[in-house]
Amino acid sequence: SDPDDDALTARPIWSRGIDAGVLQGSVVSGDGDDGGVDRFDFRRLDPLLTVLPGERDRAHILISDGLRSIRIDLLGNGGLREPLALAWRIAGVTCADPQITALTQFVALARHGRFSRTLHPVERRAARWTQMLRVHDAIAVGVSTREIVAGLFGVDTLQPRWRTDAASWRLRVQRLARGAGRCLAMGPGGWLGGGPV
């Protein structure tokens, strides 16, 4: 995805090595040994679909409307040009939960043609994460705490006693800056594994 894309148009694609919630699937052979497995045509989801070819007949698939997403690593896809019988590989114990969640989300999407709101709950910490990243970006380009308090939170810092009057806001910016530092140290895997608290 282009780093200049906004959050609604960006289409980041991760492997399971980064995101434990990436589904690993394979195409069941169509020569009679598919056991009667039903077939799914990914072309039905074309407006939501981003596909990157991988090594050894593997495709990295992102299904996203900009707000919700499901990622699939699919082996033996044949270019997704026809309905496919799919098999899924759920691995691990603790990391099985995000994979099962993703599979449940995909099955609902495949059945109904739209993302399920109940299966894709809103991330309650998103607003705080956004503030942390904004504070980090401001500090990275040399913006002062006073300017951050005024610019991000609309607090009047022009008064001589602003440090005293806006002490809680200064502390808030400092906490957000520390949180942002911890987040950067986590790397993308930490965010995708549930994010900072």
Side-chain angles (χ1 to χ4, degrees):
S1 186
D2 189 328
D4 292 329
D5 288 343
D6 62 33
L8 291 178
T9 56
R11 295 294 183 265
I13 294 181
W14 306 97
S15 68
R16 188 180 282 187
I18 296 291
D19 181 1
V22 173
L23 283 172
Q24 285 189 342
S26 59
V27 176
V28 179
S29 171
D31 57 8
D33 63 350
D34 59 12
V37 176
D38 62 319
R39 294 171 180 272
F40 179 73
D41 193 342
F42 279 94
R43 293 172 297 182
R44 290 175 43 203
L45 303 176
D46 192 56
L48 305 172
L49 213 57
T50 302
V51 181
L52 293 180
E55 297 178 356
R56 300 189 303 275
D57 199 25
R58 183 181 299 272
H60 302 291
I61 301 169
L62 173 67
I63 308 168
S64 177
D65 63 357
L67 296 175
R68 296 160 287 256
S69 62
I70 300 167
R71 293 173 177 86
I72 301 171
D73 281 349
L74 188 63
L75 181 63
N77 63 89
L80 309 182
R81 292 184 294 268
E82 60 187 1
L84 303 171
L86 302 171
W88 304 102
R89 180 171 180 263
I90 304 296
V93 177
T94 56
C95 61
D97 282 342
Q99 298 164 36
I100 293 169
T101 297
L103 182 56
T104 303
Q105 292 169 340
F106 175 73
V107 169
L109 175 63
R111 285 178 177 163
H112 304 294
R114 63 183 184 279
F115 286 100
S116 165
R117 290 185 179 180
T118 57
L119 294 176
H120 294 268
V122 174
E123 175 53 68
R124 292 173 295 179
R125 297 167 293 177
R128 185 171 191 281
W129 293 347
T130 301
Q131 289 179 352
M132 289 165 55
L133 293 172
R134 287 178 175 166
V135 167
H136 174 269
D137 288 349
I139 292 172
V141 296
V143 178
S144 69
T145 301
R146 181 176 191 162
E147 293 170 309
I148 293 171
V149 169
L152 288 184
F153 302 109
V155 176
D156 181 7
T157 60
L158 296 177
Q159 304 302 320
R161 291 175 47 83
W162 83 272
R163 287 182 173 274
T164 303
D165 295 341
S168 63
W169 289 103
R170 287 192 306 110
L171 291 173
R172 183 174 182 176
V173 168
Q174 291 167 1
R175 285 195 300 270
L176 290 169
R178 287 194 298 270
R182 289 193 299 271
C183 292
L184 291 175
M186 291 171 66
W191 284 91
L192 295 168
V197 295

